Amino acid sequence: MKFTDGYWLDRPQYEIQSPKEVFDYRKSDDKLTLYAPFKYINERGDKLNLGMSTIELTSPIEGVIGVKLIHFDQNDKGPSYQLKNEHPNIDITTGDKEITFRSGDLTAKVPYKSHFELDFLHKGKEITKSMEKAQGVILDKSTGKHYMREQLSMGVDELIYGLGERFTSLVKNGQTVDIINKDGGTGSEQAYKNIPFYLSSEGYGVFVNQPETVSFEIASENVDRTQFSVEGESLQYFIVDGPTPKDVLNKYTRLTGQVALPPAWSFGLWLSTSFTTDYSAETVLKFIDGMHDRKIPLDVFHFDCFWQKGFEWCTLLWDKEQFPDPKGLIKKIHDRGIKVCVWINPYIAQKSPLFKEAQDNGYFIKRKDGNVWQWDLWQAGNGFVDFTNPDAVKWYQSKLKALLDMGVDCFKTDLGERIPVDDAVFFDGSDPKREHNYYTLQYNETVFDLIKREKGDDQATVFARSATVGSQKYPVHWGGDCLSRYKSMADSLRGGLSFLMSGFGFWAHDISGFEEQATPDLYKRWTQFGLLSSHSRYHGSGQYKVPWVFDDEAVANTKKFVDLKLSLMPYLFNEAVNTHETGTPLMRPVFMEYTKDRNTYFLEREYMFGPSLLVAPIFNAEGTVKYYLPEGKWTNILNEQTYDIKNGAWLDETYDNLTLPVLARENSIILRNPNAEHAEYDYTDSPDIHLYECADGASETTRVVDEKGKPAGHVTAERSGNTITLSADGLKGSSKVYVHADGKVSEFTLDGGSTTLSL
């Protein structure tokens, strides 16, 4: 939202007042409060007929400083994000000319009774600041609405990332971003998952602690600043110190909620009925058996919307015409070693038998006249379950529990974006403007917590589309309704990387696209990308997505990359546990691993898959790909092609339909099991150990976890000259060892303990 007319003038409808100086302060053990009037105080009379900002500095996490700007101190109706306070040690110093507030290596500094500015420093070096006239208490004279604004300075080559799953350019400089969840697909500026948190290339992050719409102007209205504003009389934000991107995400997720670890089986292949296709119990078993006959491992089968009768979503009852024995069908699927997911949403159509029950008990969001808030968008006359009502939560969970008791393993928690604001009344009196974005957290928490309670902590997962701050506690999330086009495939990757830089650990997308009809070449290339993502699901709208409807090569391609992903699970699940522990996403932009290589800061069509694998998907039918490799030795794990890169280099290559760049970083230890038939198995049982380009003098260690994510042991490789000493603990049986060096592969055997490998 823009308030100025160029650099010098304000837009005529706005009256903007800003702090001129800190005139007074108060301090306690954990808070510094600054009082900053809107003009300089030179005499007693200046204290009359004058507004001021009250600025509160706090620190909930070491290295995180909260700043709350208050004009009028009014009570928020709620809801508010659930933030953790670790009660760190802080240091407040006051003097005649300067006041400082320090938490860890992060310091906020403000002049006392002098020109106002609020500086933020990491170990004494400025990283950003709020300059004079940056903060604004704003009145829209045409409407009477009030706004609060902050602007933080940017460096000459500073780049901004994040703000949720955004499908615009990965680097957000020059963009206007409104944080409001909308059902807008994957090809516009709208987003399903809006997160008021951004990550700076200069080693810090900013989280705006406001559930309502937050408007960002990122080097746009003022090209030297990142601006954010909200309607109302107060605004709180947190500066999150690094200095690395991983450090920032660690602190941010400690503040807003630890990323949950999904069960290992969820990392395998999911196959869907698709949306509007014709499907029944017979169709489902035909698809599952078809995958088995073609030796393509499958871990989850998903029933989309029409497992229920049309016009009745979400009635949470099976359509008995198409699925006469759902419990028996689920047992048949389980007997094949496959989990079951069913589609749900938090809306209930008027035709559904559940509607009257919810209406009579007050379980819906209402209008001010007391009637249920209804419309015909999506389902005729649907109402919205009000998750601020504890009884509505229990009621909704009871309906889902019946499905879990039947054998359903998890739910696709679709929608949750189009939550009413105008004329909306929530049970607990929450502000509809704040509830709009927050609703998805309550919805997914309701479902996730039920699965945890009924199935166990290590079995809980959902497949969610919408998200807000804290939703990382309820994975997994997928990218929404993309098109069956290469451009949309690239858009999806860009959106996913933005999302994963916003405090989330795991992400998926509809393989080969949701809308339109996928071509065989697109299906194969998107399959490769999908199975080299943290979570992998075939899904579409009006097209079946089993590989044999495309061609025989599509079948071979799917089998190859499902087998590849399952074989990599000892590596991937260890990295997933690391995501849970630290907040570093499993899929991540290349610059997160190569912070000193500025070329990597703009890469949005390739990514790191954990710390050791670089993936560059192919986005065309010709098989050509242009991608960047940072300095070092790299090995393509699909064909053993090697690269010795000096100072970073761009490559322009062409691949056949069954190959793409999947490159192992030098000095990597990657554990694999080529015989895996599902994603969940004993990762400690005789895994193959791959050592990639171990440099002379290098010593590397990787952790080994079991299929529940518990630490089980370690593998360490140390090279001296032409000898590698390999040691392992926590592994069962005998492991084959493959040493990849200079395009050659040498095979050895490790029978427990340690061994010496001669090259």
Side-chain angles (χ1 to χ4, degrees):
M1 186 173 185
K2 296 178 172 65
F3 300 99
T4 57
D5 179 10
Y7 197 81
W8 309 113
L9 303 176
D10 298 332
R11 297 191 178 190
Q13 69 267 39
Y14 296 119
E15 177 185 285
I16 304 176
Q17 301 184 88
S18 301
K20 293 298 183 183
E21 64 174 343
V22 172
F23 183 77
D24 200 0
Y25 63 87
R26 290 176 185 165
K27 66 175 184 175
S28 64
D29 290 340
D30 60 358
K31 182 164 69 174
L32 173 65
T33 304
L34 308 173
Y35 300 95
F38 297 150
K39 73 176 185 179
Y40 296 106
I41 307 302
N42 298 311
E43 57 183 46
R44 283 187 170 183
D46 292 335
K47 300 177 184 179
L48 304 176
N49 303 313
L50 175 66
M52 70 163 60
S53 285
T54 302
I55 304 169
E56 296 178 347
L57 301 185
T58 55
S59 179
I61 307 283
E62 184 175 297
V64 177
I65 293 179
V67 181
K68 187 169 185 180
L69 313 178
I70 304 167
H71 180 219
F72 294 153
D73 193 357
Q74 300 177 344
N75 292 326
D76 293 326
K77 294 176 64 176
S80 298
Y81 290 128
Q82 306 160 11
L83 306 184
K84 186 174 182 179
N85 191 339
E86 297 180 359
H87 303 286
N89 293 324
I90 62 172
D91 180 57
I92 301 173
T93 61
T94 59
D96 293 339
K97 294 184 178 180
E98 184 177 88
I99 304 170
T100 64
F101 181 100
R102 183 175 63 83
S103 174
D105 293 328
L106 182 64
T107 300
K109 181 178 69 174
V110 62
Y112 183 44
K113 295 189 175 180
S114 184
H115 297 289
F116 180 87
E117 66 178 32
L118 180 57
D119 293 3
F120 299 96
L121 306 98
H122 169 77
K123 291 185 176 180
K125 180 181 179 182
E126 181 184 295
I127 52 176
T128 189
K129 64 180 176 181
S130 173
M131 304 173 70
E132 189 174 13
K133 295 186 179 181
Q135 295 180 11
V137 175
I138 302 171
L139 170 65
D140 185 336
K141 293 177 288 186
S142 64
T143 64
K145 292 182 178 180
H146 294 264
Y147 299 89
M148 298 292 289
R149 180 194 72 189
E150 176 65 291
Q151 296 174 334
L152 296 176
S153 64
M154 298 175 63
V156 171
D157 57 354
E158 184 169 352
L159 305 173
I160 300 299
Y161 306 91
L163 296 172
E165 186 188 47
R166 315 217 74 82
F167 304 100
T168 52
S169 296
L170 185 69
V171 175
K172 299 299 182 283
N173 296 43
Q175 297 183 29
T176 297
V177 174
D178 288 334
I179 301 297
I180 178 169
N181 285 354
K182 292 187 177 182
D183 181 355
T186 67
S188 77
E189 64 183 358
Q190 295 181 6
Y192 305 107
K193 309 171 187 66
N194 290 265
I195 311 298
F197 167 78
Y198 66 80
L199 185 65
S200 167
S201 63
E202 298 309 296
Y204 69 94
V206 175
F207 163 48
V208 181
N209 184 29
Q210 304 287 154
E212 67 270 39
T213 300
V214 183
S215 182
F216 285 86
E217 298 287 346
I218 306 155
S220 50
E221 182 173 10
N222 185 316
V223 298
D224 299 330
R225 301 176 184 178
T226 295
Q227 171 180 303
F228 40 92
S229 60
V230 296
E231 183 182 346
E233 298 282 2
S234 66
L235 166 65
Q236 186 178 42
Y237 65 94
F238 291 86
I239 302 292
V240 185
D241 193 20
T244 70
K246 293 180 183 180
D247 293 330
V248 174
L249 291 177
N250 175 260
K251 293 183 179 75
Y252 171 75
T253 53
R254 282 161 54 197
L255 176 65
T256 60
Q258 186 178 28
V259 178
L261 176 66
W265 53 260
S266 72
F267 290 77
L269 179 62
W270 299 47
L271 177 63
S272 168
T273 57
S274 290
F275 174 31
T276 60
T277 49
D278 182 23
Y279 46 91
S280 62
E282 181 181 358
T283 311
V284 168
L285 292 178
K286 182 179 178 181
F287 283 170
I288 291 173
D289 291 341
M291 297 292 276
H292 178 266
D293 293 344
R294 293 164 177 84
K295 297 180 171 57
I296 301 173
L298 184 63
D299 272 289
V300 184
F301 191 86
H302 169 67
F303 292 81
D304 214 52
C305 310
F306 281 98
W307 69 273
Q308 305 162 96
K309 286 186 176 180
F311 286 114
E312 295 188 8
W313 305 337
C314 219
T315 195
L316 303 177
L317 296 172
W318 291 84
D319 180 349
K320 290 298 184 71
E321 292 183 9
Q322 300 300 323
F323 303 99
D325 180 18
K327 188 173 183 179
L329 175 61
I330 292 171
K331 184 179 185 302
K332 290 177 182 178
I333 297 172
H334 282 168
D335 289 345
R336 289 160 168 80
I338 297 167
K339 302 288 186 180
V340 171
C341 174
V342 298
W343 175 93
I344 62 172
N345 72 190
Y347 318 147
I348 298 177
Q350 186 169 294
K351 184 176 180 291
S352 166
L354 296 186
F355 185 91
K356 187 72 163 58
E357 186 178 342
Q359 183 184 41
D360 289 347
N361 288 282
Y363 295 157
F364 285 133
I365 298 170
K366 297 180 179 179
R367 293 187 180 273
K368 292 177 182 177
D369 63 7
N371 285 311
V372 174
W373 206 108
Q374 292 178 264
W375 64 4
D376 290 331
L377 194 60
W378 185 239
Q379 292 282 279
N382 64 216
F384 301 77
V385 177
D386 185 350
F387 292 104
T388 74
N389 182 341
D391 290 336
V393 169
K394 293 176 184 177
W395 173 80
Y396 192 73
Q397 286 180 328
S398 72
K399 305 303 180 182
L400 298 182
K401 183 179 181 300
L403 293 166
L404 295 178
D405 291 344
M406 188 181 292
V408 169
D409 297 286
C410 62
F411 299 100
K412 171 184 170 182
T413 46
D414 202 358
L415 310 186
E417 305 93 1
R418 291 174 174 162
I419 307 307
V421 173
D422 295 337
D423 195 29
V425 177
F426 287 81
F427 174 83
D428 71 348
S430 285
D431 182 349
K433 293 180 180 178
R434 294 168 72 93
E435 263 291 339
H436 176 87
N437 289 337
Y438 196 85
Y439 183 92
T440 179
L441 185 74
Q442 298 163 323
Y443 164 39
N444 281 284
E445 180 180 36
T446 295
V447 179
F448 195 90
D449 284 355
L450 172 69
I451 299 172
K452 282 177 62 176
R453 187 171 72 231
E454 297 299 317
K455 301 283 188 178
D457 287 359
D458 63 350
Q459 293 299 302
T461 192
V462 295
F463 212 82
R465 188 173 76 176
S466 55
T468 188
V469 173
S471 294
Q472 67 269 15
K473 297 181 290 186
Y474 313 115
V476 172
H477 295 83
W478 103 98
D481 299 346
C482 47
L483 305 180
S484 295
R485 304 176 188 178
Y486 282 111
K487 184 62 172 66
S488 191
M489 177 181 165
D491 296 341
S492 294
L493 173 55
R494 190 165 57 242
L497 292 178
S498 286
F499 179 63
L500 293 162
M501 282 190 286
S502 303
F504 289 78
F506 308 103
W507 175 77
H509 41 95
D510 289 342
I511 297 175
S512 77
F514 177 74
E515 298 285 359
E516 305 175 330
Q517 301 290 304
T519 58
D521 56 281
L522 176 73
Y523 181 87
K524 295 165 200 172
R525 291 305 185 192
W526 207 322
T527 291
Q528 295 164 7
F529 168 39
L531 286 158
L532 290 165
S533 300
S534 85
H535 286 76
S536 312
R537 185 184 70 157
Y538 281 128
H539 183 60
S541 181
Q543 183 182 35
Y544 295 130
K545 293 303 175 79
V546 289
W548 54 88
V549 304
F550 294 92
D551 58 33
D552 290 343
E553 190 177 58
V555 173
N557 182 71
T558 297
K559 175 173 173 48
K560 177 177 180 176
F561 284 92
V562 173
D563 288 346
L564 173 65
K565 186 175 189 184
L566 299 187
S567 79
L568 286 167
M569 279 301 295
Y571 162 76
L572 292 176
F573 204 56
N574 175 51
E575 293 306 323
V577 173
N578 181 67
T579 295
H580 164 64
E581 294 170 340
T582 68
T584 299
L586 180 55
M587 297 171 67
R588 62 197 71 158
V590 178
F591 79 80
M592 278 197 178
E593 294 296 329
Y594 291 90
T595 56
K596 294 182 179 179
D597 185 344
R598 292 294 295 189
N599 292 312
T600 65
Y601 281 70
F602 298 88
L603 301 178
E604 58 182 23
R605 288 186 296 278
E606 59 189 85
Y607 57 94
M608 299 297 296
F609 200 20
S612 300
L613 293 175
L614 185 148
V615 180
I618 294 174
F619 299 102
N620 57 73
E622 294 73 34
T624 60
V625 57
K626 296 178 181 178
Y627 65 102
Y628 179 84
L629 280 182
E631 181 172 351
K633 291 185 176 181
W634 298 85
T635 305
N636 191 319
I637 68 171
L638 300 178
N639 60 18
E640 293 300 323
Q641 183 173 351
T642 59
Y643 305 83
D644 189 357
I645 304 298
K646 307 297 183 184
N647 300 317
W650 282 94
L651 288 83
D652 188 345
E653 298 177 334
T654 302
Y655 287 81
D656 64 40
N657 288 340
L658 300 180
T659 317
L660 76 160
V662 186
L663 306 174
R665 188 178 185 175
E666 65 184 4
N667 298 318
S668 291
I669 303 173
I670 298 179
L671 273 58
R672 297 178 61 176
N673 186 331
N675 301 313
E677 296 181 353
H678 285 286
E680 182 174 334
Y681 54 90
D682 187 351
Y683 306 137
T684 69
D685 189 4
S686 307
D688 291 351
I689 301 171
H690 292 259
L691 310 178
Y692 287 95
E693 297 292 350
C694 295
D696 189 14
S699 177
E700 297 293 331
T701 297
T702 187
R703 178 179 61 179
V704 181
V705 300
D706 66 17
E707 65 273 26
K708 299 301 181 184
K710 304 299 183 184
H714 298 84
V715 176
T716 298
E718 299 178 345
R719 178 173 177 178
S720 178
N722 292 325
T723 300
I724 295 177
T725 301
L726 182 68
S727 60
D729 64 90
L731 299 184
K732 303 172 185 175
S734 177
S735 288
K736 293 180 180 179
V737 180
Y738 298 91
V739 179
H740 304 256
D742 300 321
K744 300 178 181 179
V745 183
S746 302
E747 184 176 340
F748 302 88
T749 301
L750 175 67
D751 289 310
S754 63
T755 188
T756 299
L757 315 176
S758 297
L759 304 181

